[in-house]
Every structure is written in structure tokens, then in C-alpha cells.
Amino acid sequence: MSDDHNAHHVRYGVIFIALCIFTSISVACDYIPRENKILIAFAVLAVATAKALCVMMFFMHLKFEGNWKFVLLAPTIILAMGIPLALMPDIAAHYYTVDIPQAEHAEIAHGDFNSSGSPAVEADR
Amino acid sequence: MIHPQATPSTVKMGLPIPNSKLGMWLFLGTEIMFFTAFIGTYIVLRIGSPGWPDNPEVTHIEIWAGGTNTFVLILSSYFVVIAHEAMSKKNFRKARNFLGLTLLLAFLFLGIKSFEYYGKFQHDILPSHIPESNAQAIAKVERQLERIVMAEYDALFPDEPNMDIRRQKVASAEATEPEKTLKALDDEFQNLRSHISANVSMSAELNQREEIVKLKDGTQFTGFATSPPGADPIIYQLTAGGKRSVKKADIDVPMAGKEPPPINLDEVKEHIERMHEHPLYGSLVAHLEVSHPIMYGNIFASTYFLMTGFHALHVIIGIILFGIVLLQWNKLNESWSDWIENCGLYWHFVDLVWIFLFPLIYII
């Protein structure tokens, strides 16, 4: 059993309160008008990353572990990033002409490709 | 000088952690890749889908449920850490209590998640159930109404599979009250179905289109086509009276005149609402609702259930792990410290995944 946590005194209560504050900030971001999608995404993901670091560093004790943590986690993070990066050009970025029924419906209904809230599409017969 | 007794080697092999802890970290490494596959796929699909549903009234995603679950998991992670610290100080009673609280919070999380899933099932927000256009919504309600009608026929005539005979029986003079009710419902369903397949508004009669038909011989007449679409020759009910059969080849000018308006989703909704109030069959269609079309709805539902479903499965596994420890109860001793530490690591990872799922699903 590792006794490192005896040598490194962590104030878990403070970390817990910090996590609660971060969660409240996340929920507050829900009240930002939906048009500012990039701002909302950036803010909540930054908060999520901060929370994740608190949990990993203190609750999971990684701050006090040896360098083996990098050897173990670095390849997994790289491989984990692989799927979204590999799929990004074809599915997310659309560098080629898109031919999907939903896009046609969006154009017919709203005259443009971007619509949020999914209102009912009118002409599709 | 060589000592007769061998001194223990000071060279240490491997990592300064128990094998079980290393094993758990290696497993968590694979779990990172496991969940990143789903979350990454969701992100990529969402970025590539302009019009992805994000209105909570459409998706029925309640932020209070997600926020509460986030707090529940954070609190449970804190309790696990307290329990582990208590184990190291050999305060087994405190460790047991906090592990018990963690277990309760895990059940609370699953309870809130079940409530959310129940809402999704109620609104039929499930993969392959969601219409993504008005036409699909109309087709779906037609299928649902057909299922209701067929279920009633099966209930009333379990030994007679032939639909023609069934229809004769409900139309006969000796039909019972339930059979008359079913006939009324079936007639209404057939009427709706005919309008849907002909794409004619419910407010217009089928085949009643007044047309000015010009023939190649120079003559013309005004009338209503009474033949089904695509028929040749076409039978016309003349406005002036009488009938006339005309071959398509003899028609000079394409048929003109007022086309009946096409059927649309709003009038189907109104029609279904009127059916709810029908004195005879209203109770049979009480639960029939027209589904609101949601563009990208099916892939939204797929990714939602994939991510949250696998996360809930991991919570259940965590409950089992904590349950095994708590079964020891008074026999809990320091030999269980490694188990609790490793369960704690697993539980913190479950919390970590939710920390990312919450903003991605509930907020963005």
C-alpha cells in the first residue's frame, strides 16, 4: 500500500469546495445566450478541464506520484485524441460538398445551412 | 573482502506501487481511450451537423438533473478519498461509513439517471424512433394509428386473420358496440391514410380537382378527375354534368386548374386531437401523439444513450466493487486498503468522465 498520502497532506475539503464552485460556474454558463456557442464551449470545457485536473492531481493523487504517470498516460492521451482528429476532416470539417437530406431540408425550410433548435421542416415531399 | 552472508540487493525492480494499483492505472488508461472514442465521435458528429438539436424543450435534457448528478458524483469522490484516508489511519469504522455514503450517492446518481431515461422513453426520444422531417412525422403517426387499429382487430377477432372478413363483420348489422367503435376508427384511419398517400389536404376531398382539359382536337372541357392518379384513360366528372373518359394521349395541354393543397403536419396534429375527443373511439387513441420532428434527432439519441449508457454501466460496476468491500462490514481491516484505493481510483475516473459528459450534453 502506498503511504504517500501521509507524507503529502492534502486538504480534500478545499478541493471539494473548489469543485463545487467550478460546477456552479458551469451551470451558470447555461444562461449565456445560445448564439455565443464558441464562448459557451470554451468556458465550459475550460471549467471541465480545471475540475478534471483537481480530481486527477489531488483525489487520484497523481501530483505525488512518480514519473511513471507520464509514461502511462501520455500514450493513452495521444491515442485517445487520435479518433476525433482522424474523423475531423471527413465528418466535422466538410472540406467536400455535403450531400445529406438534413442539409437540403434546412435549406428548403430556412434558406440557409445553419439552423438551431430544430424547428419543423415544412416542404419535404 | 567477501562477507559470508549475502546482503539484500538495493536495486529495486518495477514501480514503487503495488501491482494492483499499476493494473488499475493500466486499465484506466484503456478506459480513457474507450470513453474518448464515444465522446470524440459525438464531438465530431455534432460539429459536422449544422442544426443539431440543442433546445432543451426539444431534446428534453434537464440541466438540473445533470447538475445534481455532477454534485452527487463529486461528493461521492470526496467521500471515497475520506474513506481511503481513514483506512490508512486504521479508522475502519469511519472508512466503512464513508464508503456506505458513497454507495448511497451512487444509487442516487442512478436514480436521477433513470428518471431522465424514463422521460426520454416517454417522449419517444430513442434512436430510430424520431422523425426528422414533417413527412416522417406524418408517416410515423400513420404507422402508430395502424398499429392501434390492428391491435383492436386482433383483440376482437383473435381467431379470424382475414382482414376482409374482419371488416365485413364490423360493418354488418349484427356488429356489437366495440365492433362499431372499431369500424368508426378504421374508417377514420383509412380516410387519413388515403389523404396521406395522395398528399391531399384533409380539408379537401380526394380526386376532386376541377380541371380545364384541352384536347388535341381543339375542344376543351371542365371537370373533376375521378380516376386514381396515374390511370389511363382518365374518367372525368364533367362540371356541366355527365362523365367522360379521355386517354392521356388525346390531351393537348397538361391539366390545369386548382390542385388541392398538400397535406401538412399541423392539420394532421389537429386531426389527431379531434380524434382524441371522439365519443366512440377517443379512448382508443388517447395516447396517440404526433411526434415533433427533430433534425439529426436519431443520431443525437444514439450518441446520448451511448455515452450516458456506458457511463451508467461503469457506475453499476463501481457499486459492485464498493458493495464487495462493504460486505466485510466489521471484518474490514488493513488488508482491504489496496482494494479501496483501487476502487477509489476507478470511482474518480467515473467522476472524471461525467465531468466532461455534463458540459458536452447538458450545456453546449
Side-chain angles (χ1 to χ4, degrees), chain B residues 205-227:
Chain B
E205 293 296 322
L206 288 168
N207 295 330
Q208 292 237 325
R209 286 174 290 200
E210 187 180 79
E211 295 157 10
I212 304 164
V213 182
K214 291 184 179 170
L215 302 176
K216 286 178 180 165
D217 62 8
T219 60
Q220 69 179 50
F221 61 88
T222 309
F224 297 92
T226 58
S227 307

PDB file of all heavy atoms in Angstrom, chain B residues 205-227:
ATOM      1  N   GLU B 205     -61.389  17.206 -50.597  1.00  0.00           N
ATOM      2  CA  GLU B 205     -61.827  15.852 -50.913  1.00  0.00           C
ATOM      3  C   GLU B 205     -60.827  15.220 -51.867  1.00  0.00           C
ATOM      4  O   GLU B 205     -60.242  15.903 -52.704  1.00  0.00           O
ATOM      5  CB  GLU B 205     -63.203  15.888 -51.583  1.00  0.00           C
ATOM      6  CG  GLU B 205     -64.322  16.356 -50.659  1.00  0.00           C
ATOM      7  CD  GLU B 205     -64.525  15.396 -49.506  1.00  0.00           C
ATOM      8  OE1 GLU B 205     -64.412  14.176 -49.749  1.00  0.00           O
ATOM      9  OE2 GLU B 205     -64.769  15.873 -48.396  1.00  0.00           O
ATOM     10  N   LEU B 206     -60.676  13.934 -51.769  1.00  0.00           N
ATOM     11  CA  LEU B 206     -59.791  13.223 -52.694  1.00  0.00           C
ATOM     12  C   LEU B 206     -60.388  13.240 -54.095  1.00  0.00           C
ATOM     13  O   LEU B 206     -61.602  13.155 -54.264  1.00  0.00           O
ATOM     14  CB  LEU B 206     -59.635  11.755 -52.252  1.00  0.00           C
ATOM     15  CG  LEU B 206     -58.783  11.534 -51.004  1.00  0.00           C
ATOM     16  CD1 LEU B 206     -58.948  10.113 -50.524  1.00  0.00           C
ATOM     17  CD2 LEU B 206     -57.325  11.829 -51.278  1.00  0.00           C
ATOM     18  N   ASN B 207     -59.541  13.337 -55.094  1.00  0.00           N
ATOM     19  CA  ASN B 207     -59.943  13.268 -56.513  1.00  0.00           C
ATOM     20  C   ASN B 207     -60.883  14.384 -56.926  1.00  0.00           C
ATOM     21  O   ASN B 207     -61.466  14.316 -57.992  1.00  0.00           O
ATOM     22  CB  ASN B 207     -60.607  11.911 -56.835  1.00  0.00           C
ATOM     23  CG  ASN B 207     -59.602  10.783 -56.677  1.00  0.00           C
ATOM     24  OD1 ASN B 207     -58.420  10.964 -56.881  1.00  0.00           O
ATOM     25  ND2 ASN B 207     -60.081   9.627 -56.286  1.00  0.00           N
ATOM     26  N   GLN B 208     -61.031  15.375 -56.078  1.00  0.00           N
ATOM     27  CA  GLN B 208     -61.930  16.463 -56.512  1.00  0.00           C
ATOM     28  C   GLN B 208     -61.080  17.656 -56.927  1.00  0.00           C
ATOM     29  O   GLN B 208     -60.831  18.556 -56.143  1.00  0.00           O
ATOM     30  CB  GLN B 208     -62.855  16.855 -55.362  1.00  0.00           C
ATOM     31  CG  GLN B 208     -63.847  15.767 -55.018  1.00  0.00           C
ATOM     32  CD  GLN B 208     -65.262  16.274 -55.116  1.00  0.00           C
ATOM     33  OE1 GLN B 208     -65.525  17.423 -54.817  1.00  0.00           O
ATOM     34  NE2 GLN B 208     -66.174  15.428 -55.542  1.00  0.00           N
ATOM     35  N   ARG B 209     -60.565  17.599 -58.121  1.00  0.00           N
ATOM     36  CA  ARG B 209     -59.780  18.720 -58.649  1.00  0.00           C
ATOM     37  C   ARG B 209     -60.445  19.195 -59.933  1.00  0.00           C
ATOM     38  O   ARG B 209     -60.523  18.448 -60.912  1.00  0.00           O
ATOM     39  CB  ARG B 209     -58.352  18.278 -58.953  1.00  0.00           C
ATOM     40  CG  ARG B 209     -57.527  18.079 -57.691  1.00  0.00           C
ATOM     41  CD  ARG B 209     -56.193  17.518 -58.035  1.00  0.00           C
ATOM     42  NE  ARG B 209     -56.321  16.126 -58.480  1.00  0.00           N
ATOM     43  CZ  ARG B 209     -55.320  15.270 -58.487  1.00  0.00           C
ATOM     44  NH1 ARG B 209     -54.148  15.650 -58.090  1.00  0.00           N
ATOM     45  NH2 ARG B 209     -55.497  14.035 -58.905  1.00  0.00           N
ATOM     46  N   GLU B 210     -60.929  20.389 -59.906  1.00  0.00           N
ATOM     47  CA  GLU B 210     -61.555  20.912 -61.119  1.00  0.00           C
ATOM     48  C   GLU B 210     -60.455  21.288 -62.093  1.00  0.00           C
ATOM     49  O   GLU B 210     -59.531  22.036 -61.747  1.00  0.00           O
ATOM     50  CB  GLU B 210     -62.410  22.148 -60.820  1.00  0.00           C
ATOM     51  CG  GLU B 210     -63.213  22.600 -62.036  1.00  0.00           C
ATOM     52  CD  GLU B 210     -64.040  23.815 -61.715  1.00  0.00           C
ATOM     53  OE1 GLU B 210     -63.471  24.938 -61.696  1.00  0.00           O
ATOM     54  OE2 GLU B 210     -65.243  23.668 -61.472  1.00  0.00           O
ATOM     55  N   GLU B 211     -60.568  20.752 -63.303  1.00  0.00           N
ATOM     56  CA  GLU B 211     -59.501  20.985 -64.278  1.00  0.00           C
ATOM     57  C   GLU B 211     -60.094  21.470 -65.587  1.00  0.00           C
ATOM     58  O   GLU B 211     -61.223  21.136 -65.942  1.00  0.00           O
ATOM     59  CB  GLU B 211     -58.737  19.681 -64.541  1.00  0.00           C
ATOM     60  CG  GLU B 211     -58.005  19.194 -63.310  1.00  0.00           C
ATOM     61  CD  GLU B 211     -57.729  17.716 -63.375  1.00  0.00           C
ATOM     62  OE1 GLU B 211     -57.930  17.120 -64.443  1.00  0.00           O
ATOM     63  OE2 GLU B 211     -57.319  17.157 -62.355  1.00  0.00           O
ATOM     64  N   ILE B 212     -59.315  22.275 -66.309  1.00  0.00           N
ATOM     65  CA  ILE B 212     -59.674  22.660 -67.677  1.00  0.00           C
ATOM     66  C   ILE B 212     -58.826  21.788 -68.580  1.00  0.00           C
ATOM     67  O   ILE B 212     -57.593  21.921 -68.602  1.00  0.00           O
ATOM     68  CB  ILE B 212     -59.376  24.147 -67.941  1.00  0.00           C
ATOM     69  CG1 ILE B 212     -60.105  25.006 -66.898  1.00  0.00           C
ATOM     70  CG2 ILE B 212     -59.773  24.536 -69.358  1.00  0.00           C
ATOM     71  CD1 ILE B 212     -59.589  26.419 -66.828  1.00  0.00           C
ATOM     72  N   VAL B 213     -59.451  20.868 -69.281  1.00  0.00           N
ATOM     73  CA  VAL B 213     -58.712  19.895 -70.083  1.00  0.00           C
ATOM     74  C   VAL B 213     -58.844  20.267 -71.546  1.00  0.00           C
ATOM     75  O   VAL B 213     -59.955  20.307 -72.088  1.00  0.00           O
ATOM     76  CB  VAL B 213     -59.234  18.469 -69.850  1.00  0.00           C
ATOM     77  CG1 VAL B 213     -58.418  17.472 -70.655  1.00  0.00           C
ATOM     78  CG2 VAL B 213     -59.196  18.129 -68.366  1.00  0.00           C
ATOM     79  N   LYS B 214     -57.719  20.571 -72.193  1.00  0.00           N
ATOM     80  CA  LYS B 214     -57.724  20.897 -73.633  1.00  0.00           C
ATOM     81  C   LYS B 214     -57.251  19.681 -74.401  1.00  0.00           C
ATOM     82  O   LYS B 214     -56.196  19.118 -74.112  1.00  0.00           O
ATOM     83  CB  LYS B 214     -56.800  22.088 -73.909  1.00  0.00           C
ATOM     84  CG  LYS B 214     -57.326  23.394 -73.336  1.00  0.00           C
ATOM     85  CD  LYS B 214     -56.442  24.580 -73.711  1.00  0.00           C
ATOM     86  CE  LYS B 214     -57.052  25.849 -73.128  1.00  0.00           C
ATOM     87  NZ  LYS B 214     -56.189  26.990 -73.212  1.00  0.00           N
ATOM     88  N   LEU B 215     -58.062  19.304 -75.411  1.00  0.00           N
ATOM     89  CA  LEU B 215     -57.769  18.112 -76.204  1.00  0.00           C
ATOM     90  C   LEU B 215     -57.083  18.492 -77.513  1.00  0.00           C
ATOM     91  O   LEU B 215     -57.136  19.640 -77.949  1.00  0.00           O
ATOM     92  CB  LEU B 215     -59.046  17.326 -76.493  1.00  0.00           C
ATOM     93  CG  LEU B 215     -59.813  16.881 -75.242  1.00  0.00           C
ATOM     94  CD1 LEU B 215     -61.112  16.209 -75.640  1.00  0.00           C
ATOM     95  CD2 LEU B 215     -58.965  15.937 -74.412  1.00  0.00           C
ATOM     96  N   LYS B 216     -56.439  17.505 -78.106  1.00  0.00           N
ATOM     97  CA  LYS B 216     -55.699  17.754 -79.359  1.00  0.00           C
ATOM     98  C   LYS B 216     -56.621  18.095 -80.523  1.00  0.00           C
ATOM     99  O   LYS B 216     -56.202  18.681 -81.521  1.00  0.00           O
ATOM    100  CB  LYS B 216     -54.835  16.539 -79.709  1.00  0.00           C
ATOM    101  CG  LYS B 216     -53.607  16.450 -78.795  1.00  0.00           C
ATOM    102  CD  LYS B 216     -52.749  15.221 -79.104  1.00  0.00           C
ATOM    103  CE  LYS B 216     -51.549  15.217 -78.154  1.00  0.00           C
ATOM    104  NZ  LYS B 216     -50.844  13.964 -78.102  1.00  0.00           N
ATOM    105  N   ASP B 217     -57.911  17.713 -80.399  1.00  0.00           N
ATOM    106  CA  ASP B 217     -58.832  18.051 -81.495  1.00  0.00           C
ATOM    107  C   ASP B 217     -59.361  19.480 -81.377  1.00  0.00           C
ATOM    108  O   ASP B 217     -60.243  19.890 -82.129  1.00  0.00           O
ATOM    109  CB  ASP B 217     -59.990  17.043 -81.551  1.00  0.00           C
ATOM    110  CG  ASP B 217     -60.822  17.067 -80.265  1.00  0.00           C
ATOM    111  OD1 ASP B 217     -60.593  17.963 -79.407  1.00  0.00           O
ATOM    112  OD2 ASP B 217     -61.698  16.205 -80.115  1.00  0.00           O
ATOM    113  N   GLY B 218     -58.822  20.250 -80.421  1.00  0.00           N
ATOM    114  CA  GLY B 218     -59.192  21.656 -80.297  1.00  0.00           C
ATOM    115  C   GLY B 218     -60.288  21.924 -79.281  1.00  0.00           C
ATOM    116  O   GLY B 218     -60.544  23.078 -78.947  1.00  0.00           O
ATOM    117  N   THR B 219     -60.962  20.877 -78.834  1.00  0.00           N
ATOM    118  CA  THR B 219     -62.028  21.098 -77.859  1.00  0.00           C
ATOM    119  C   THR B 219     -61.457  21.125 -76.442  1.00  0.00           C
ATOM    120  O   THR B 219     -60.306  20.748 -76.212  1.00  0.00           O
ATOM    121  CB  THR B 219     -63.094  19.982 -77.956  1.00  0.00           C
ATOM    122  OG1 THR B 219     -62.444  18.717 -77.685  1.00  0.00           O
ATOM    123  CG2 THR B 219     -63.726  19.952 -79.330  1.00  0.00           C
ATOM    124  N   GLN B 220     -62.266  21.566 -75.506  1.00  0.00           N
ATOM    125  CA  GLN B 220     -61.846  21.551 -74.104  1.00  0.00           C
ATOM    126  C   GLN B 220     -63.083  21.399 -73.225  1.00  0.00           C
ATOM    127  O   GLN B 220     -64.209  21.636 -73.669  1.00  0.00           O
ATOM    128  CB  GLN B 220     -61.079  22.820 -73.722  1.00  0.00           C
ATOM    129  CG  GLN B 220     -61.917  24.092 -73.684  1.00  0.00           C
ATOM    130  CD  GLN B 220     -61.095  25.291 -73.276  1.00  0.00           C
ATOM    131  OE1 GLN B 220     -60.017  25.529 -73.827  1.00  0.00           O
ATOM    132  NE2 GLN B 220     -61.593  26.053 -72.316  1.00  0.00           N
ATOM    133  N   PHE B 221     -62.885  20.960 -72.014  1.00  0.00           N
ATOM    134  CA  PHE B 221     -63.993  20.856 -71.070  1.00  0.00           C
ATOM    135  C   PHE B 221     -63.458  21.065 -69.661  1.00  0.00           C
ATOM    136  O   PHE B 221     -62.252  21.028 -69.420  1.00  0.00           O
ATOM    137  CB  PHE B 221     -64.704  19.484 -71.184  1.00  0.00           C
ATOM    138  CG  PHE B 221     -63.809  18.308 -70.874  1.00  0.00           C
ATOM    139  CD1 PHE B 221     -63.680  17.845 -69.566  1.00  0.00           C
ATOM    140  CD2 PHE B 221     -63.087  17.675 -71.873  1.00  0.00           C
ATOM    141  CE1 PHE B 221     -62.853  16.759 -69.272  1.00  0.00           C
ATOM    142  CE2 PHE B 221     -62.265  16.594 -71.570  1.00  0.00           C
ATOM    143  CZ  PHE B 221     -62.137  16.135 -70.269  1.00  0.00           C
ATOM    144  N   THR B 222     -64.390  21.267 -68.734  1.00  0.00           N
ATOM    145  CA  THR B 222     -64.027  21.444 -67.330  1.00  0.00           C
ATOM    146  C   THR B 222     -64.634  20.312 -66.525  1.00  0.00           C
ATOM    147  O   THR B 222     -65.804  19.969 -66.730  1.00  0.00           O
ATOM    148  CB  THR B 222     -64.580  22.788 -66.804  1.00  0.00           C
ATOM    149  OG1 THR B 222     -64.188  23.830 -67.701  1.00  0.00           O
ATOM    150  CG2 THR B 222     -64.005  23.094 -65.423  1.00  0.00           C
ATOM    151  N   GLY B 223     -63.826  19.753 -65.644  1.00  0.00           N
ATOM    152  CA  GLY B 223     -64.371  18.646 -64.849  1.00  0.00           C
ATOM    153  C   GLY B 223     -63.424  18.227 -63.745  1.00  0.00           C
ATOM    154  O   GLY B 223     -62.346  18.810 -63.557  1.00  0.00           O
ATOM    155  N   PHE B 224     -63.865  17.186 -62.988  1.00  0.00           N
ATOM    156  CA  PHE B 224     -63.062  16.647 -61.885  1.00  0.00           C
ATOM    157  C   PHE B 224     -62.576  15.260 -62.286  1.00  0.00           C
ATOM    158  O   PHE B 224     -63.365  14.438 -62.740  1.00  0.00           O
ATOM    159  CB  PHE B 224     -63.900  16.492 -60.612  1.00  0.00           C
ATOM    160  CG  PHE B 224     -64.418  17.785 -60.071  1.00  0.00           C
ATOM    161  CD1 PHE B 224     -65.680  18.243 -60.451  1.00  0.00           C
ATOM    162  CD2 PHE B 224     -63.670  18.548 -59.206  1.00  0.00           C
ATOM    163  CE1 PHE B 224     -66.169  19.433 -59.955  1.00  0.00           C
ATOM    164  CE2 PHE B 224     -64.162  19.737 -58.704  1.00  0.00           C
ATOM    165  CZ  PHE B 224     -65.410  20.190 -59.080  1.00  0.00           C
ATOM    166  N   ALA B 225     -61.278  15.027 -62.104  1.00  0.00           N
ATOM    167  CA  ALA B 225     -60.748  13.676 -62.357  1.00  0.00           C
ATOM    168  C   ALA B 225     -61.184  12.758 -61.222  1.00  0.00           C
ATOM    169  O   ALA B 225     -60.963  13.062 -60.056  1.00  0.00           O
ATOM    170  CB  ALA B 225     -59.229  13.714 -62.447  1.00  0.00           C
ATOM    171  N   THR B 226     -61.828  11.665 -61.565  1.00  0.00           N
ATOM    172  CA  THR B 226     -62.276  10.727 -60.524  1.00  0.00           C
ATOM    173  C   THR B 226     -61.457   9.444 -60.513  1.00  0.00           C
ATOM    174  O   THR B 226     -61.635   8.591 -59.658  1.00  0.00           O
ATOM    175  CB  THR B 226     -63.764  10.372 -60.730  1.00  0.00           C
ATOM    176  OG1 THR B 226     -63.916   9.809 -62.049  1.00  0.00           O
ATOM    177  CG2 THR B 226     -64.643  11.614 -60.604  1.00  0.00           C
ATOM    178  N   SER B 227     -60.568   9.316 -61.503  1.00  0.00           N
ATOM    179  CA  SER B 227     -59.712   8.110 -61.516  1.00  0.00           C
ATOM    180  C   SER B 227     -58.550   8.295 -60.562  1.00  0.00           C
ATOM    181  O   SER B 227     -58.179   9.432 -60.243  1.00  0.00           O
ATOM    182  CB  SER B 227     -59.142   7.885 -62.919  1.00  0.00           C
ATOM    183  OG  SER B 227     -60.158   7.871 -63.861  1.00  0.00           O
TER     184      SER B 227
END
